[in-house]
Amino acid sequence: MEDVDSPVRLKFYGVRDLANGWLAEKAVALVQSYSSGRKLLSLNDALELHNALEFEKNNIFPNFLTAQDHTELALSARESRRRVASFFSTIEASNLKEHLNKMDFQYADDLLRLIERHGVAKRVGGQMLFEALSDAALPLEVMLADRQFVNRNDRKLREVMLSDAQNGELLVRMRLVKDSNPLYHLPASLSGEDMQQLLSAYIGSASPHLNYVQAIAESNDNDSFGLTPKIRLEAKKRHKDLIEELLAEKRTKTTNTYHGLRLDPEQRKPVIDRVERDENSVSYVRSFSEKYLLSSMDPERILLNFASVVGFLERGLLTMPSFKGQLGALRTLLISGRDAYPRGSAFNYVDALTLNGTQFYSDFLRQYSIEVEDSVAWFFREDLVDKFGAANFYFAASSPSSSFLERCRHISAEMESIARQFSLYCDEGVLDPELLQMTSTPRPWAAIPSFTERKYLHRGSNHNCDRAMHLLFSDQSGMTYISSELKASNFVELITENEVSYESVRPHQKESIDWLIDEGLVAVDSDLLEFAQPVQVLVLSDINNREAAAYGHYGTDEASAALVLMQKGWLEFSSTLLTRPEASYFNYFLNKSEFSDGPDLRNKYAHGTNADPGDISTHRQSYFQLLRLLVALTLKIKDEFRLAARAQPSTMSETP
């Protein structure tokens, strides 16, 4: 057994901690030794023994213990708990500071719990205890984690929090970032005005954390927590200043990223993407064929060009939203606002290219007196009637002479009208204009229905599916590296791009490989690993990449594989116009119902809180963001009618 006077002491971090397996033996030895007469010589001894007893309390034992050993350990634990209680009963006003001065701070949270449990505060006095803990530099966040301690020292903790601007960082970590700790308890006397004062002081302090300032700026207003438009504006400006200071430092080396567009008169392919690099920059260049664009100027081809050439749509799914599978492990570790839209490099890349592409293609068409909005109007007024017999849809395009401010206001309202028209059509099977006028409340984007019963496939609540997706596609699965020659970003890439023998797999990976074999996804052929059901893996890859799959776009093999996965409970069908990530994408740009950091375009232009009318550049940018959403919505509805016509040819037919 390790000497208890060693600086490395036992600590219990919870029932799910991965170190429990190999620490359990040490915990058992400690409990047994103290129950057999070993003395508690210090506060650290008592706190370490308390942690050892937590292993026994939660039934975390070494594998070699017998039933008899368990019985004897329970008796030892009872005696050890008595010894801990006896030790804390000796803590008095006269020796309190001496005990605290030698305390190991990894036990700070345990100390408060045991002080409360064993009545130390009553013996030494609440004021003296608080002063002694403060003098011993007990972390404020540890104090705030104990509800009883916070309630007992409410006013004192308020004063401590307001005394240091850096405590504003604690407020942010408690409530305003993803994965914030809900176990902290604020003093009841700390008012919204107090927290506003503290956040403002933190924002204006000498060295606030860049990401925490961003989290404040990205939060939703909440007066009770000190979050007001004024505070968020302070944070937004401070964040900008901090970025400029960071980039101005000579030791900070940055690589500039550019997104460019070209019109090539000689190019044959409709679109070509290139990456151009030099020492200090990376340029992503999308090149359009001028000949191709000039050959496709009718409304239908214009909409299809947005889907394929500009890059809005792939197999019925929008490419522009942020998808969890694209974020990667590093991005998930970064600090971000709790209510912020998750944006990684993949999202930023597609966002820049599709937004710039929307503007570029619109300007190209305008040279030939063609407005993109007119193509949208054609689709709803003519194409739906001619091809699908869906009458009474309408979209009123902006006037070519209207300003970008006027266009933004107009297109925001018209887009909501389209959503209401389509929802009513799904509900009723026809679009009755009089009934439409009776339905003024728009539906949330995620609740817009579909008349295709099996529209999308997405993950169900299934542990086996979660495990398979992690093992197959995660860069943190432990299945990506076998040797310096056999490595990849995920297991699927490792197997498809290399010949991997079962015998070469590391021992700790074989249990996962065997599990995938048992699930029928992986097989061994002549000692080489391969996918037993490659089409099922392709379907799961779609779910991983886009968080959904458009079932109606699947061929026979893919549809059959998807049904097998659905029957296993791994996948589920849903029937809405937009997938969950697509609906979140619309929410991010148009409103604050789901995210706090979006452009809020619909609300700004509907409620008159948009930029100054003279700021033409800002309104131009907003217009192309809205136009991109309008075209994306139109393409999704167009795809909806095509899928329905394919599934029900007798009731709805599409003409070529």
Side-chain angles (χ1 to χ4, degrees):
M1 183 185 72
E2 187 178 347
D3 185 354
V4 292
D5 291 328
S6 166
V8 180
R9 288 182 176 267
L10 181 71
K11 173 67 176 173
F12 179 73
Y13 290 102
V15 295
R16 298 185 182 277
D17 189 73
L18 297 177
N20 286 343
W22 59 272
L23 289 177
E25 184 175 354
K26 181 178 180 180
V28 169
L30 277 172
V31 171
Q32 291 173 336
S33 66
Y34 280 110
S35 68
S36 299
R38 180 177 171 179
K39 296 184 181 298
L40 293 172
L41 301 178
S42 68
L43 178 61
N44 288 330
D45 284 349
L47 292 168
E48 184 179 33
L49 178 55
H50 165 74
N51 275 266
L53 289 165
E54 290 297 292
F55 284 82
E56 189 273 339
K57 177 182 176 182
N58 289 281
N59 297 315
I60 300 172
F61 307 114
N63 293 331
F64 58 77
L65 289 191
T66 65
Q68 180 62 30
D69 292 334
H70 281 249
T71 301
E72 293 175 359
L73 183 61
L75 295 174
S76 297
R78 189 179 307 165
E79 173 60 22
S80 293
R81 287 191 176 89
R82 187 191 66 78
R83 286 180 175 271
V84 172
S86 177
F87 179 88
F88 273 88
S89 69
T90 66
I91 298 178
E92 299 175 346
S94 60
N95 60 20
L96 174 63
K97 290 189 177 182
E98 181 183 355
H99 281 303
L100 293 178
N101 287 339
K102 299 177 182 179
M103 186 194 70
D104 187 333
F105 274 85
Q106 70 170 323
Y107 295 134
D109 54 340
D110 302 301
L111 174 68
L112 285 187
R113 204 157 36 244
L114 294 176
I115 279 176
E116 199 68 42
R117 181 183 300 171
H118 297 296
V120 175
K122 294 180 181 178
R123 286 197 303 276
V124 305
Q127 181 64 31
M128 180 179 183
L129 176 62
F130 186 84
E131 291 175 357
L133 292 171
S134 298
D135 291 343
L138 193 76
L140 178 59
E141 58 192 285
V142 172
M143 296 183 184
L144 296 177
D146 191 297
R147 183 188 295 275
Q148 288 182 302
F149 186 83
V150 172
N151 292 339
R152 190 187 299 277
N153 299 280
D154 183 283
R155 301 295 301 183
K156 303 186 195 73
L157 285 170
R158 173 184 176 273
E159 293 173 8
V160 170
M161 290 195 71
L162 294 175
S163 67
D164 187 350
Q166 285 304 117
N167 290 331
E169 184 171 303
L170 182 58
L171 277 183
V172 177
R173 285 194 282 118
M174 288 170 61
R175 296 290 189 274
L176 303 184
V177 296
K178 283 183 170 63
D179 302 321
S180 53
N181 191 341
L183 300 180
Y184 289 126
H185 310 282
L186 291 173
S189 60
L190 191 72
S191 66
E193 290 78 7
D194 290 336
M195 286 184 270
Q196 182 177 343
Q197 172 190 331
L198 184 55
L199 289 174
S200 181
Y202 175 68
I203 293 167
S205 63
S207 56
H209 194 298
L210 175 70
N211 290 340
Y212 289 135
V213 175
Q214 181 181 1
I216 298 171
E218 292 176 344
S219 296
N220 286 317
D221 289 342
N222 185 343
D223 289 345
S224 64
F225 199 73
L227 289 167
T228 64
K230 183 178 179 180
I231 288 294
R232 291 191 298 104
L233 181 59
E234 286 181 21
K236 181 179 179 181
K237 292 179 177 179
R238 184 71 165 119
H239 182 262
K240 180 181 178 182
D241 292 342
L242 291 170
I243 291 289
E244 291 176 353
E245 291 171 12
L246 180 66
L247 296 178
E249 293 182 10
K250 293 183 179 179
R251 68 175 184 272
T252 303
K253 183 178 180 180
T254 61
T255 299
N256 296 316
T257 301
Y258 301 98
H259 298 88
L261 297 167
R262 294 175 184 159
L263 190 65
D264 189 334
E266 303 300 327
Q267 181 175 306
R268 291 187 177 185
K269 290 184 178 180
V271 61
I272 297 176
D273 287 328
R274 298 184 179 91
V275 180
E276 300 174 357
R277 303 176 186 271
D278 59 31
E279 184 178 354
N280 297 314
S281 67
V282 178
S283 297
Y284 298 95
V285 180
R286 177 162 286 175
S287 176
F288 298 114
S289 166
E290 183 176 21
K291 291 180 180 179
Y292 176 83
L293 294 183
L294 287 172
S295 70
S296 53
M297 305 282 274
D298 62 274
E300 181 164 26
R301 292 287 295 278
I302 288 171
L303 292 176
L304 292 177
N305 285 342
F306 272 104
S308 58
V309 179
V310 184
F312 280 19
L313 209 65
E314 289 181 0
R315 300 188 79 183
L317 299 175
L318 295 180
T319 63
M320 294 93 79
S322 176
F323 302 103
K324 294 176 183 177
Q326 296 175 343
L327 293 176
L330 179 62
R331 177 62 180 82
T332 60
L333 294 175
L334 298 178
I335 299 168
S336 60
R338 184 181 61 183
D339 300 315
Y341 188 65
R343 286 164 286 173
S345 57
F347 169 81
N348 293 334
Y349 167 74
V350 176
D351 181 67
L353 283 184
T354 55
L355 182 59
N356 292 340
T358 300
Q359 180 175 336
F360 182 91
Y361 189 34
S362 300
D363 290 344
F364 171 82
L365 292 171
R366 195 169 289 123
Q367 296 177 48
Y368 300 93
S369 301
I370 298 173
E371 294 285 343
V372 174
E373 288 186 56
D374 289 335
S375 295
V376 173
W378 165 84
F379 169 74
F380 285 105
R381 289 188 176 275
E382 300 181 37
D383 197 43
L384 283 181
V385 178
D386 295 342
K387 289 185 178 178
F388 306 103
N392 298 325
F393 278 86
Y394 63 87
F395 170 83
S398 303
S399 168
S401 61
S402 58
S403 67
F404 284 111
L405 170 60
E406 293 168 334
R407 287 177 178 230
C408 288
R409 289 174 175 168
H410 179 77
I411 202 173
S412 297
E414 287 296 298
M415 195 154 39
E416 286 192 6
S417 175
I418 289 173
R420 284 198 296 269
Q421 292 174 52
F422 182 77
S423 297
L424 183 59
Y425 184 90
C426 288
D427 292 341
E428 303 295 328
V430 294
L431 180 54
D432 184 337
E434 292 183 344
L435 183 57
L436 179 65
Q437 294 175 15
M438 304 290 289
T439 57
S440 59
T441 303
R443 296 192 190 186
W445 291 104
I448 298 175
S450 165
F451 42 75
T452 303
E453 183 179 357
R454 293 184 168 185
K455 181 70 181 293
Y456 301 117
L457 283 160
H458 56 84
R459 288 167 70 165
S461 299
N462 185 286
H463 173 73
N464 287 340
C465 179
D466 293 342
R467 184 180 184 188
M469 298 284 279
H470 177 74
L471 292 176
L472 293 172
F473 305 111
S474 174
D475 57 357
Q476 298 296 299
S477 67
M479 306 280 286
T480 62
Y481 183 93
I482 294 175
S483 67
S484 57
E485 293 78 27
L486 293 175
K487 57 185 178 179
S489 60
N490 58 57
F491 181 68
V492 170
E493 183 181 311
L494 180 71
I495 298 302
T496 55
E497 297 186 1
N498 303 276
E499 288 190 348
V500 181
S501 69
Y502 183 79
E503 288 304 316
S504 69
V505 174
R506 292 171 175 252
H508 71 274
Q509 297 170 325
K510 285 193 174 178
E511 187 274 333
S512 296
I513 296 288
D514 292 341
W515 184 84
L516 289 170
I517 292 173
D518 291 340
E519 289 295 327
L521 293 173
V522 171
V524 180
D525 184 10
S526 301
D527 193 44
L528 292 180
L529 294 177
E530 61 182 27
F531 290 113
Q533 299 293 338
V535 183
Q536 288 186 22
V537 174
L538 286 174
V539 171
L540 292 174
S541 177
D542 288 344
I543 303 297
N544 179 71
N545 293 336
R546 296 275 190 259
E547 297 178 45
Y551 182 72
H553 285 264
Y554 276 168
T556 303
D557 290 344
E558 290 171 307
S560 298
L563 289 175
V564 171
L565 293 169
M566 188 200 71
Q567 290 163 1
K568 291 175 66 172
W570 287 23
L571 303 181
E572 296 177 350
F573 282 114
S574 63
S575 181
T576 52
L577 176 66
L578 303 174
T579 67
R580 294 166 188 167
E582 289 170 352
S584 293
Y585 178 77
F586 275 71
N587 284 333
Y588 167 65
F589 277 100
L590 293 174
N591 57 62
K592 289 188 177 294
S593 65
E594 190 174 357
F595 306 104
S596 59
D597 60 331
D600 197 25
L601 295 173
R602 182 268 178 196
N603 291 334
K604 284 182 178 178
Y605 284 99
H607 301 146
T609 57
N610 47 265
D612 186 290
D615 188 352
I616 297 175
S617 176
T618 296
H619 295 304
R620 177 181 171 83
Q621 174 85 352
S622 296
Y623 172 71
F624 287 114
Q625 288 177 327
L626 287 165
L627 184 64
R628 177 172 57 175
L629 291 170
L630 171 65
V631 173
L633 180 63
T634 303
L635 291 172
K636 291 293 292 187
I637 292 175
K638 180 179 179 65
D639 185 67
E640 175 84 21
F641 276 94
R642 289 183 65 251
L643 290 178
R646 186 186 305 172
Q648 300 175 335
S650 61
T651 58
M652 181 183 293
S653 61
E654 178 187 9
T655 59

